Each structure stands twice: as C-alpha cells, then as structure tokens.
C-alpha cells in the first residue's frame, strides 16, 4: 500500500501542474472562441494537433528509454547526458530542415498561407522536445514540486501573454499607441490575429528552457554511443507507438480538412467546433496525464523489487485509476449544462461529443496502464503493434464515418472512431498481458464499479425529464456521493472507509 500512496502523492503533485495548468489554459478557450470564428479557431486546433505528432517524433521514445536505463545502468547521469545530446541534436536538425523546406511543409499541412504560424510552432515543438528530457530527469529524481512549479509558471506566462496580445494591445493602441507600436505593428498588429496565440506559446516555451538551466548546466556531459544504441533499440518501437497514438488522438482535427477539400471553410469550422468541445472533456485528459507523469517512474522503481507486493501495487494502480476516472466522468456529465458556458453558444452543437470523448480517454488511460507489461518485459514492439492497429482503425473509421455523417456534424464520426479504436486496443492489450505478464487484476470489482457508474449516469440524465434544474443538480450531487460511498465501503479510503463501515453497522 505504501507504493500506491507514493503513486497517489506524486499523481496529486503532477496533477497540480497538469490539472491546474490545463484548467487555466482551458479558460483561454472562451477568449478564443469569442474573438475568432470557428474556421479561424479550427486553424489553431489543427496546428496544435500537428505539432503534438511532431513532438512525439522528436522525442522518439527517449523519455521512457531514459527511465528504463537510468534504473538499469550503473551511471544514471551518463544516461541523462546521452539522452540530452541525442534529442538536442535532432531538435536543432529539425529546426534547420523546417526553415529550409518551410513552404512545401506548409502546403502539405494545407496551410500554404500560414507559413509563419507553421515555423513558429515548429521551433516551439523542437524546444519542447528537448525540454522533455530535463523534465523526465526531475521525475526520475522525484522532484515533483519543481516539475510542477515550472509547468505552472509556463502556463501563467502563456496566459498573461495571450491576454496582453489579444486584449491588452488592441486597447493600448487606441489610447496610447506609441507605447507598443514599435513591436506590435512591426509584427502585424491586430491583423496577425490567431498568430499572437503562437507567439505567446513560443515565448513561454523559451521561459521554460531558461528555468531548466540548472538541470542543463554545471554537469559533465558524457555521450555513450553504445548506450544510445541500446536506448534506441528499446525506444524505437515506442516512437512508432507514440506517433501512431498521437495521430490517433488528433485524427479528427487532422483528417477532416482532407476529407472535405471542396469546402475548406466548413471543414475548418467543424475542426474548430470539435476542438472546442473536446476542451470540456479535457478533465479526463488532465487526470490521465497527471497519472502518466507519476506512473512510469513508479513502475520502473517497483520493478527493482520483488514479490507479491509489486504485483499488488500494479493492480491497485489500475483499480484506483478506473475508480477516479469514472468519478470524473460522472461529475462532468452531471454538470455539463453549466460547463458548456466555457465556450461560445455558436459551438454548442458539438456538445454531443463530450461523453463519447471522455469514455474514449478513459479507455486510453486504461490502455496506458496496461502498457506496463511490455515495458517491463522489454517487449516494446507490442506497444508499437497496438498503436498501429489503433491508428489503422482510427483512420479507417474516420474515412468511413466522417463523410457519411457529412457537414456540419462530421466530427461525431471522429469521436465514435476514437472510442471504438481505444476500446479495441485496450481489450487486446489486456489479453496479451495475461499471457506475457499475468497480473491478478480485480476484474470483478472493476466491472462492479463500471456497472454502478453506468446506472448512476443513466439515472442522473433521466432526472432532466422530471425535476427543475436546481433539484436535478442537487440530486446528481447525491448520486455522486452514492458512488463515493460505495467505493469507500469496498476500498481503503482514508477517513471515508472507516466512516462508511460504521454507518453500515
């Protein structure tokens, strides 16, 4: 249980940066959707999806490789510096190649008139890729608070710059133009539009790099080619896994413009609506991300031990991940009529994707949790197989469902494709893991929680037909407490479990 408490503590700290940070960024969505029409916001969503894929490519699995070999080799520092040099070199090479081939790359991304945006985000993602290695080092050293502090500083600075560029500068130009015209007009002024979002992003990324200097300076850099070959041998399947996985995660935003080449404006609008509503479902993504930050160091540290305690820790991690994931799902769905006001009414037509995407992200989180078996047994090629299967499924379902549904609701096909694909690879990974690294998961109890959450969800949704809004919200809160109470009755939850058992008696 000590291992799970440690995992929970680290997840909470990483969650502070992930959840608070994403929530603050989430608060920018109303600003974007009220300032820009859906087709312009669609460019932002599309380009962020493309750069997310580029980030995975530029990291080529070295984060996980670092954790594996830092816990395996006698000199973890040489693993760290070898990783830094490798990722630093490839990131610089990427910036150089992008600068040389900027026009054809922009055309391939269907953004021939936005080459500047492509270049800014390309440089940003290259810096991010390099920064991920020092961040991994902080996780390895269990410096969760420093990790969280830098992440939150990045978010705060990014938000401040967004507010300054998008709201502050236009106001200053009206009353005191001389104060900022020397840079604002030079960069395009209000005409730059969504471009200021990307400018804010690259500036906050540079600040993060500056904050990570203590992890980069004052150490002896060692580059071990033989070690790098071993790390690449371990990590290259994770690269395929990551690229296929990220393409799958962003498939809707990336593929919709290609499926409607004759109506680019409508396609961008669908991408914008889809992306804005996915921001509501981001609570599940935040939880999954926080868990992932803590989980990889946890499983490799646990792997150094032996016995049943190790297996029990892995199984408990899975169980509690699902428990809290279901609680988040119920909470968001019960209060979606309130949460929808974070986006403009012009985007509400896409609210139907929220429950589908939340379930899809829950399946993805379980799939990630199950990934420990192929990471610990050095069978990372299995992760590659699953991700490729997921990618093929996602691509095929999008190509089939999105045009079939058509304009303006084609994004529903992307959401359904995500849920089906993640569910399939989740099930496949579970059964493959039973063969190569069997663990005594409490499947009976997990299914009980899934059934309970399903019943509570249906019951909570039906209340709309019988009660006014305030009574409905109050009763839904009661249903959330029923879920928490049942969990506390069967699990060891501090304070709650003893209380529930006394009430039962």
């Amino acid at each position: 249980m000590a291992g799970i408490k440690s995992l929970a503590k680290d997840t909470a700290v990483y969650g502070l940066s992930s959840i608070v940070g994403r929530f603050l960024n989430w608060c920018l969505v109303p600003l974007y959707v009220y300032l820009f029409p859906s087709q312009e916001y669609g460019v932002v969503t599309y380009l962020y999806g493309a750069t997310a894929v580029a980030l995975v490519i530029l990291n080529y699995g070295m984060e996980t490789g670092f954790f594996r070999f830092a816990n395996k080799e006698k000199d973890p520092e040489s693993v760290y510096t070898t990783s830094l040099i490798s990722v630093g070199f490839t990131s610089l090479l990427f910036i150089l190649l992008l600068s040389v081939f900027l026009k054809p790359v922009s055309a391939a991304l269907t953004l021939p008139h936005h080459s500047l945006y492509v270049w800014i985000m390309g440089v940003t993602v290259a810096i991010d890729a390099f920064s991920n290695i020092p961040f991994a080092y902080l996780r390895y050293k269990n410096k969760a608070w420093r990790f969280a502090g830098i992440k939150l500083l990045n978010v705060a600075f990014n938000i401040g710059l967004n507010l300054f560029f998008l709201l502050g500068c236009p106001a200053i130009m009206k009353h005191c133009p001389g104060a900022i015209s020397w840079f604002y007009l030079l960069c395009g002024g209000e005409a730059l539009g969504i471009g200021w979002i990307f400018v804010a992003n690259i500036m906050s990324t540079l600040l993060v790099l500056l904050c990570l200097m203590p992890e980069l300076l004052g150490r002896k850099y060692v580059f071990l080619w033989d070690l790098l070959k071993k790390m690449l041998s371990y990590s290259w399947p994770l690269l395929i896994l990551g690229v296929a996985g990220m393409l799958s995660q962003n498939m809707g935003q990336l593929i919709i413009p290609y499926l409607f080449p004759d109506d680019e404006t409508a396609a961008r609008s669908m991408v914008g609506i889809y992306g804005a509503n996915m921001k509501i479902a981001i609570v599940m993504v935040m939880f999954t991300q926080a868990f992932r930050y803590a989980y990889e160091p946890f499983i490799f540290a646990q792997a150094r031990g032996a016995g049943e305690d190790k297996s029990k820790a892995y199984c408990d991690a899975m169980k509690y991940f699902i428990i809290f994931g279901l609680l988040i799902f119920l909470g968001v769905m019960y209060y979606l009529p309130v949460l929808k006001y974070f986006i403009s009414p012009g985007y509400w037509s896409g609210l139907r994707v929220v429950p589908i995407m939340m379930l899809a992200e829950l399946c993805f989180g379980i799939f990630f949790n199950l990934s420990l078996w192929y990471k610990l047994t050095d069978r990372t090629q299995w992760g590659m197989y699953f991700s490729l299967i997921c990618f093929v499924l996602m691509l095929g379902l999008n190509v089939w469902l999105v045009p079939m549904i058509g304009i303006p609701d084609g994004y529903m096909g992307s959401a359904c494709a995500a849920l089906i694909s993640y569910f399939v690879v989740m099930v496949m990974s579970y059964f493959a893991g039973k063969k190569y690294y069997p663990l005594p998961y409490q499947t009976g109890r997990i299914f009980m929680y899934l059934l309970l959450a399903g019943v509570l969800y249906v019951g909570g949704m039906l209340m709309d037909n019988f009660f006014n809004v305030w009574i409905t919200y109050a009763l839904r809160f009661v249903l959330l407490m029923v879920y928490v109470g049942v969990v506390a009755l069967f699990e060891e939850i501090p304070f709650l479990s003893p209380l529930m058992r006394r009430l039962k008696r």
Side-chain angles (χ1 to χ4, degrees):
M1 194 67 185
I4 290 298
K5 288 181 179 178
S6 174
L7 175 62
K9 177 179 74 69
D10 287 347
T11 300
V13 176
Y14 291 125
L16 175 68
S17 62
S18 180
I19 294 174
V20 173
R22 283 181 180 260
F23 174 76
L24 292 174
N25 271 326
W26 188 34
C27 292
L28 286 174
V29 175
L31 175 66
Y32 296 156
V33 299
Y34 279 97
L35 284 179
F36 305 113
S38 57
Q39 59 267 29
E40 284 192 49
Y41 183 63
V43 173
V44 178
T45 302
Y46 172 75
L47 196 47
Y48 273 116
T51 51
V53 177
L55 180 60
V56 174
I57 295 173
L58 289 171
N59 268 128
Y60 46 93
M62 289 298 282
E63 275 184 277
T64 304
F66 165 73
F67 287 120
R68 180 58 169 167
F69 285 88
N71 284 283
K72 193 175 182 181
E73 298 290 320
K74 293 181 180 179
D75 183 12
E77 289 296 317
S78 64
V79 179
Y80 175 53
T81 56
T82 298
S83 304
L84 273 177
I85 293 170
S86 178
V87 177
F89 172 77
T90 51
S91 295
L92 286 172
L93 181 62
F94 175 79
I95 293 174
L96 176 62
L97 292 174
L98 177 64
S99 300
V100 173
F101 299 104
L102 181 59
K103 287 189 176 180
V105 170
S106 301
L109 290 172
T110 70
L111 296 171
H113 305 300
H114 299 297
S115 295
L116 177 62
Y117 303 164
V118 174
W119 187 84
I120 292 173
M121 288 306 296
V123 175
T124 302
V125 79
I127 299 171
D128 277 338
F130 178 71
S131 299
N132 279 346
I133 302 301
F135 274 126
Y137 184 75
L138 290 175
R139 291 158 60 195
Y140 170 73
K141 288 291 187 178
N142 293 318
K143 295 183 178 180
W145 285 107
R146 175 163 168 75
F147 178 101
I150 297 174
K151 290 285 188 179
L152 286 174
L153 177 63
N154 172 38
V155 171
F157 191 61
N158 185 43
I159 291 173
L161 289 175
N162 269 272
L163 295 176
F164 175 68
F165 290 141
L166 298 177
L167 298 180
C169 286
I172 294 170
M173 284 299 295
K174 290 181 180 178
H175 303 288
C176 188
I180 61 170
S181 59
W182 57 275
F183 82 88
Y184 188 64
L185 294 180
L186 183 65
C187 295
E190 286 192 65
L192 187 61
I194 59 173
W196 288 112
I197 299 173
F198 306 126
V199 172
N201 202 325
I202 192 171
M203 291 178 68
S204 57
T205 298
L206 288 169
L207 177 65
V208 166
L209 185 61
L210 184 64
C211 292
L212 290 171
M213 284 300 161
E215 281 68 46
L216 299 172
L217 302 177
R219 64 180 68 249
K220 181 181 178 182
Y221 274 79
V222 176
F223 181 76
L224 301 177
W225 177 245
D226 289 339
L227 172 62
L228 180 62
K229 286 194 291 186
K230 288 192 290 184
M231 293 179 72
L232 292 174
S233 177
Y234 175 84
S235 297
W236 77 263
L238 297 177
L239 168 62
I240 307 300
L241 181 158
V243 171
M246 195 55 68
L247 282 170
S248 299
Q249 283 184 283
N250 294 278
M251 182 67 73
Q253 299 98 303
L254 293 174
I255 199 170
I256 287 174
Y258 293 96
L259 295 176
F260 300 97
D262 298 328
D263 200 340
E264 183 177 331
T265 300
R268 296 285 182 218
S269 179
M270 281 197 292
V271 172
I273 292 171
Y274 184 48
N277 282 279
M278 283 180 66
K279 295 294 184 183
I280 297 177
I282 209 169
V283 180
M284 188 70 77
V285 181
M286 291 187 287
F287 170 62
T288 303
Q289 184 67 62
F291 183 83
R292 290 176 68 181
Y293 280 145
Y295 192 58
E296 279 191 333
F298 168 78
I299 63 169
F300 287 122
Q302 289 286 322
R304 289 182 293 192
E308 294 182 2
D309 287 344
K310 178 176 64 174
S311 296
K312 185 177 185 302
Y314 296 150
C315 294
D316 285 345
M318 170 69 84
K319 180 177 64 177
Y320 286 113
F321 174 83
I322 294 173
I323 286 171
F324 285 103
L326 292 172
L327 178 63
I328 291 168
F329 173 79
L330 289 173
V332 171
M333 295 314 304
Y334 280 174
Y335 297 98
L336 185 59
V338 176
L339 295 174
K340 72 179 183 181
Y341 287 99
F342 276 95
I343 60 176
S344 168
Y347 291 75
W348 287 357
S349 60
L351 287 170
R352 292 169 294 169
V353 306
V354 175
I356 301 172
M357 289 308 301
M358 290 200 72
L359 289 175
E361 288 296 335
L362 180 62
C363 289
F364 178 76
I366 297 171
F367 169 64
F368 176 82
N369 206 314
L370 291 166
S371 70
L372 70 90
W373 72 262
Y374 58 75
K375 291 178 180 177
L376 292 179
T377 59
D378 291 344
R379 290 185 171 92
T380 50
Q381 69 272 16
W382 277 93
M384 177 184 68
Y385 301 152
F386 293 139
S387 288
L388 288 174
I389 291 169
C390 183
F391 170 74
V392 171
L393 272 174
M394 194 85 74
L395 179 62
L397 289 170
N398 268 273
V399 170
W400 173 42
L401 293 173
V402 173
M404 182 177 72
I405 296 172
I407 298 172
D409 299 321
Y411 49 79
M412 288 297 296
S414 292
C416 293
L419 177 57
I420 295 168
S421 303
Y422 288 149
F423 179 80
V424 169
V425 294
M426 175 190 75
V427 173
M428 292 176 66
S429 183
Y430 171 74
F431 283 106
K434 286 186 70 174
K435 177 179 179 181
Y436 292 104
Y437 198 88
L439 289 171
Y441 291 117
Q442 293 179 272
T443 51
R445 188 167 294 184
I446 288 171
F447 276 115
M448 180 190 75
Y449 293 136
L450 288 168
L451 180 61
L452 173 64
V455 171
L456 293 177
Y457 169 68
V458 173
M461 294 300 103
L462 289 176
M463 288 178 180
D464 281 330
N465 301 323
F466 302 101
F467 306 106
N468 68 41
V469 63
W470 297 112
I471 294 176
T472 296
Y473 289 156
L475 291 175
R476 285 176 178 174
F477 179 77
V478 172
L479 292 183
L480 283 176
M481 292 303 100
V482 168
Y483 177 81
V484 172
V486 172
V487 169
L489 195 61
F490 287 92
E491 307 300 334
E492 291 299 328
I493 310 296
F495 176 72
L496 287 177
S497 293
L499 176 62
M500 288 302 300
R501 283 164 192 155
R502 281 198 296 270
L503 291 174
K504 183 182 179 182
R505 287 196 294 266

